[in-house]
Amino acid sequence: MRARPTVGELACLVHALEAERSARPAVEQALRRRGGADDLVCLRDWLGAVDEDSARRIADTDAALRAVSGGALAAGALLGLVTALGVFFYDGSGRVNVLAVLGVMVVLPGVLLLSSWLGASPRGSGAVARALAALGAWSPGRLVARWSRRAGRRGSSALATLLDPRHHVLGLAPVRRWAVVRWSHLLGTGFFLGALATLLALVVFTDLAFGWSTTLRATPEGLRDLVAVVAAPWAWAVPAASPDLETIAATRWFRAGQGGGPTAPPALLGQWWPFLAAALAVYGLLPRIASAALASMLLRRATGRAFVGLPAARALLARIGAAEVDTRAPTPEPAPPPPEAPRRLEAPVPVVGGCEAVVSWSAVPVPDLVLADLLDADRVLHAGGARTVAEDEAVLDALADGAGRVVVVTKAWEPPLLELRDFVDALVARRSGAVAVMPVAVDDGVLRPPRAADLAVWERGFADCAVPLVAPPREDRP
Amino acid sequence: MSPPRFAVVGHPNKGKSSLVATLAEDESVRIAPESGTTTRAVTYPMRVRGETLYELIDTPGFQRARRALGLIEQRAATAAARREAVRAFVAEHRADPMFRAECELLAPVVEGAGIIYVVDGAVPYGPEYEPEMEILRWSGQPSLAVINPIGTRDHVREWRDALGQYFRVVREMDVLAAPVEQRLDLLRAFGELDPAWRPALERAVEALRAERHRLRVRAARVIAEMLVEALTLAPERRLRADDDPQAARAELEHAYADSLRGLETAARARVERLYHHEALARDEAVLESIEADLLAARTWQLFGLDRLTLAGVGAGGGAAAGLGVDAALGGLSGFLGAAIGGVAGGAAAWLAADRLARFETRDLPFGEQVLAVRAGASRNLPFVLLGRARVHHALVARRSHARRDPLVVEGTSAGLPGDARQRLARLFERAADAGDDGAEAVVESLAEAIAPLLESEPEPAA
Ligand SMILES: Nc1nc2c(ncn2[C@@H]2O[C@H](COP(=O)(O)OP(=O)(O)OP(=O)(O)O)[C@@H](O)[C@H]2O)c(=O)[nH]1
Ligand SMILES: [Mg+2]
């Protein structure tokens, strides 16, 4: 059996999805391989994969949510207690006014109940919606979000993500709404439980004198009819909770002109409490319990829908479930070895004075005479390029044991190859004279300094070589 | 039968890895200006639902081709023995540091891989290429040369002549800039090298095309979500008695622009990830301009329109005027024209050019006030966002995975067809009204409407 997702689980999912806006391809790829799972299972697996602590976090978040619900119930009960103590306040003088009790404890909460459902309807009509939106500054969701952030508990950041209305998450609105509606009904339930308990306690441990009193012109018969209608749901079962005309007539009370003392038989004065208790239970407590239950159901449904229906979740599922076309390397190319520090980033030294020989490496497209003239060289030799290794050897032999300078001219636009390094190393090993490498650019048979980008390639290529890189002499120099 | 394999070989630093990264859409390939960046052969298999259709192999460049050719020549007395000589060379020198690069690159070739030889068409041909081309020819494997002009095309003709001597098929492709169709074309050419390879490559090209289509649909969804989120965005700020309303407004507007920027950035990142551009650097300076772009006159002025022009356009009346602007700018204006079209009347256009945000003040109990940005109050906003998203998508969708420069989102999108504009305007209105509850349905319809608009990729600015 698969459990439905809880609100805590949804909160953790939303939190993870927000945090994972930069997705983890590896996790997604691993899930993709498994295949076959439905959306709910897939999302749960994903959550487990991106957050190995997710089970704990979910449990913590659900616990925090339960704590909020418990808190709402407790706060309601306290409120009910305080209100009931006020409404049923009786110090022996006067009466507890039944009409006032009905107004404060039944009619007012009834209006609030109605407005809470109206406000919860997804499309509140203009004026109502606006009035409720103005109340939004005190949104319980925002309060809870703030509380959970303050509380700094594990899982509380997930809760804050879920509940803070300022945090915009597409597709979460129904969950937020039903969570808040449910809490408000729990608060109401607590209120009536507290009020009822207080009434019963007062009835048991003190004696209350009820009466009814109004400035309006009212007759006992009129009130009797009203009471009969109000008591209709329970009169047939508990006749004692439906005051008769005798009680009603006897308990009417005027504050002025009667000297304040009770006139009716004291036994009759207590007769109202079963009626009030029943009214509180039937018109206050029961609707709130029913509302809380309905809100819980709607919350569960919204949670289940949001879990697999959040746009971010859908996008994730699409990524995981997409028919797989993959062109990339299964494992990325290994990181490069630490780079050799480019040893000669300084500008190449210009050639001064003559040299014994110039080697044109792999057919630099400049006439030999030009090269010889420019570098003041006795001879120009050729190596590399299309020539064989044996021909290179012949050049090396010809230059062996010399003491003058040898400059190897190369095309700067071609990268330095190891075979050039082989040649230069052999040259250095066989001669006592200086050896230099001169990468050059050529423009229509004229030597030019290499482009900066090309030079950088050469400087890196020769980073670990003792042979200096030199710049070509300027054309205009004699 | 094992899938066809293609070894991408050549001189160092000629864009071999760049070609592989582009075709394999893999940004993890090591590419650098230095020569010798690739030191080992790396395989990039192309898989469709787990089945490998072909493999690309990136290899290090030749370092001692002449020496290797010399050794191979010694072994091959006759032309018939050449192929075997190359194989024997690889077998013998596998562990020899002297020929590490040569063995790495020749090993897949002697095992039957096709040869993709890459050269740079911006620099002249030279004799140093001949030994390596000779070795490749001796291997006897089917081969194709790719001229990659790194920069200019100055020497392409020269290269064509030289390569024609060694390779039956010579192609030119600017690896970093080639549009997707051209890349697929090159892949198809790989398949032509051997009749046995053809079906696999044809299937691969089809799969890649289909995948492109799927990606566009998914990108459309990402953009639709971003738009709906932007339209339902309604930041607010408590106004206390001692607050300066002007400053509060500026602050709220700032916060609003921040949120929009956040939404756009997140959506861009998601689109980039769809296309496997996961580590794409963005030009943040350009991103910064969104506040100006979205909330003020800048967007309009970018197109050379001043407020008076705008007012004139608006006065012309509604959507028809918007069409007129599009026509006048030769379709250049794109979302701009659409945005104007949605606003009726000159004054509205004039105002809209100035501010896209609309504010309202609400009373709270106990004499407090809330200053809020009215969600969806601007008809221009979603069109501007969509236009920007289309430009970004086009750039990302065609961007080669070999590029290492930051992405600069610039340019304009092609104009929206009239019916698409109408449909979008209706959907935007629905999104703004729907609240969070109906959002999902609107996202769905919006994505549907946007996908075909990504189809015709807008041209990035020159
Ligand atoms: N402008 C431009 N640059 C390119 C192009 N192709 C490659 N490059 C650049 O050339 C340099 C070398 O590219 P790579 O792909 O690493 O070349 P390679 O052949 O793999 O090099 P090695 O691995 O060193 O042998 C990089 O800086 C690339 O950005 C191109 O088509 N245009
Ligand atoms: Mg490389």
Side-chain angles (χ1 to χ4, degrees), chain B residues 4-155:
Chain B
R5 309 170 77 212
F6 301 94
V8 180
V9 300
H11 227 55
N13 227 27
K14 298 301 175 188
K16 302 182 295 297
S17 299
S18 300
L19 177 63
V20 170
T22 302
L23 294 180
E25 306 195 353
D26 190 335
E27 62 179 357
S28 74
V29 179
R30 278 174 51 206
I31 292 166
E34 290 96 72
S35 145
T37 308
T38 309
T39 53
R40 292 244 168 276
V42 182
T43 303
Y44 299 82
M46 189 280 181
R47 286 146 297 170
V48 176
R49 271 174 238 98
E51 182 196 0
T52 303
L53 291 185
Y54 66 83
E55 289 180 351
L56 293 179
I57 305 162
D58 187 19
T59 65
F62 283 97
Q63 295 284 355
R64 293 182 172 104
R66 290 182 309 147
R67 208 174 280 269
L69 182 61
L71 292 175
I72 296 168
E73 272 171 342
Q74 283 172 18
R75 291 170 185 273
T78 66
R82 287 174 175 176
R83 191 178 193 137
E84 202 37 57
V86 176
R87 180 187 300 276
F89 168 82
V90 174
E92 187 179 325
H93 293 93
R94 263 254 130 111
D96 185 353
M98 169 79 88
F99 293 114
R100 220 197 51 207
E102 281 71 20
C103 288
E104 281 285 320
L105 80 95
L106 286 175
V109 174
V110 299
E111 284 159 17
I115 295 167
I116 310 299
Y117 185 69
V118 181
V119 299
D120 175 4
V123 300
Y125 171 75
E128 62 268 56
Y129 290 88
E130 271 156 33
E132 56 193 49
M133 293 195 288
E134 195 65 19
I135 296 177
L136 293 173
R137 182 156 67 182
W138 282 31
S139 77
Q141 283 305 107
S143 58
L144 176 152
V146 178
I147 306 175
N148 169 33
I150 301 185
T152 67
R153 297 185 63 247
D154 290 355
H155 301 274

Side-chain angles (χ1 to χ4, degrees), chain B residues 152-405:
Chain B
T152 67
R153 297 185 63 247
D154 290 355
H155 301 274
V156 169
R157 179 178 296 272
E158 181 186 339
W159 273 107
R160 269 190 190 281
D161 292 343
L163 291 169
Q165 311 278 315
Y166 291 87
F167 302 94
R168 200 161 50 82
V169 190
V170 179
R171 291 278 191 135
E172 182 190 343
M173 184 170 103
D174 186 342
V175 168
L176 292 194
V180 177
E181 261 321 302
Q182 205 182 333
R183 301 180 205 161
L184 295 181
D185 238 35
L186 185 65
L187 277 178
R188 212 178 280 110
F190 288 6
E192 302 291 338
L193 291 179
D194 185 329
W197 294 347
R198 199 164 154 175
L201 269 293
E202 291 291 337
R203 264 184 69 200
V205 168
E206 268 330 295
L208 287 171
R209 253 212 201 102
E211 175 73 359
R212 283 263 147 193
H213 178 75
R214 270 195 299 277
L215 288 180
R216 263 197 297 272
V217 169
R218 279 161 65 187
R221 184 156 175 121
V222 170
I223 295 170
E225 280 169 18
M226 184 261 293
L227 289 171
V228 171
E229 288 198 50
L231 282 167
T232 48
L233 208 59
E236 49 182 54
R237 184 187 183 289
R238 193 89 66 89
L239 262 188
R240 292 191 183 74
D242 51 348
D243 277 345
D244 169 13
Q246 222 44 47
R249 218 178 133 124
E251 199 179 297
L252 187 62
E253 189 174 301
H254 223 70
Y256 182 48
D258 269 350
S259 307
L260 287 176
R261 191 178 7 247
L263 287 176
E264 185 173 67
T265 311
R268 283 184 173 183
R270 286 174 66 191
V271 168
E272 287 159 14
R273 267 203 312 279
L274 276 180
Y275 287 94
H276 301 315
H277 285 291
E278 266 143 40
L280 197 52
R282 279 187 231 99
D283 196 330
E284 293 301 331
V286 173
L287 259 188
E288 281 307 309
S289 74
I290 189 175
E291 182 163 2
D293 276 12
L294 287 185
L295 296 183
R298 268 279 296 284
T299 312
W300 318 84
Q301 285 159 1
L302 275 178
F303 295 89
L305 292 178
D306 54 24
R307 280 196 199 175
L308 275 178
T309 325
L310 273 173
V313 168
L323 285 169
V325 176
D326 262 4
L329 295 177
L332 171 87
S333 66
F335 56 80
L336 178 72
I340 302 167
V343 184
W350 196 83
L351 281 172
D354 203 27
R355 291 254 161 270
L356 288 176
R358 291 269 176 282
F359 293 91
E360 65 182 13
T361 321
R362 280 199 315 260
D363 290 326
L364 281 186
F366 304 124
E368 278 189 312
Q369 283 193 317
V370 162
L371 180 67
V373 170
R374 239 169 67 214
S378 161
R379 292 170 191 235
N380 305 331
L381 174 71
F383 281 103
V384 174
L385 281 174
L386 175 60
R388 290 168 60 97
R390 286 174 72 205
V391 173
H392 173 260
H393 174 270
L395 290 171
V396 170
R398 59 177 289 170
R399 183 180 163 98
S400 156
H401 290 72
R403 288 180 65 167
R404 296 293 176 264
D405 53 329

Side-chain angles (χ1 to χ4, degrees), chain A residues 21 327-328 392 414 422, chain B residues 24 47 64 66 129 273:
Chain A
R21 284 225 147 155
T327 46
R328 296 179 290 174
D392 286 5
E414 293 294 352
D422 293 346
Chain B
R47 286 146 297 170
R64 293 182 172 104
R66 290 182 309 147
Y129 290 88
R273 267 203 312 279

Side-chain angles (χ1 to χ4, degrees), chain A residues 375-397:
Chain A
L375 295 169
D376 194 9
D378 302 337
R379 50 190 173 151
V380 176
L381 301 166
H382 291 267
R387 277 153 223 273
T388 61
V389 181
E391 287 170 292
D392 286 5
E393 281 298 323
V395 171
L396 285 172
D397 287 342

Side-chain angles (χ1 to χ4, degrees), chain A residues 249-347:
Chain A
T251 53
R252 175 154 204 180
W253 179 68
F254 295 95
R255 285 193 296 178
Q258 291 244 341
T263 53
L268 277 185
L269 293 177
Q271 295 270 308
W272 278 99
W273 79 262
F275 169 76
L276 287 176
L280 250 58
V282 171
Y283 295 111
L285 185 60
L286 283 183
R288 284 292 175 171
I289 290 178
S291 295
L294 181 59
S296 295
M297 197 195 79
L298 290 169
L299 175 63
R300 258 200 309 280
R301 210 182 55 169
T303 304
R305 281 194 185 159
F307 198 83
V308 293
L310 288 173
R314 305 269 9 133
L316 173 70
L317 288 169
R319 283 207 296 279
I320 293 176
E324 186 184 350
V325 172
D326 209 337
T327 46
R328 296 179 290 174
T331 48
E333 199 172 351
E340 202 77 49
R343 227 186 34 138
R344 56 192 83 243
L345 278 178
E346 78 268 26

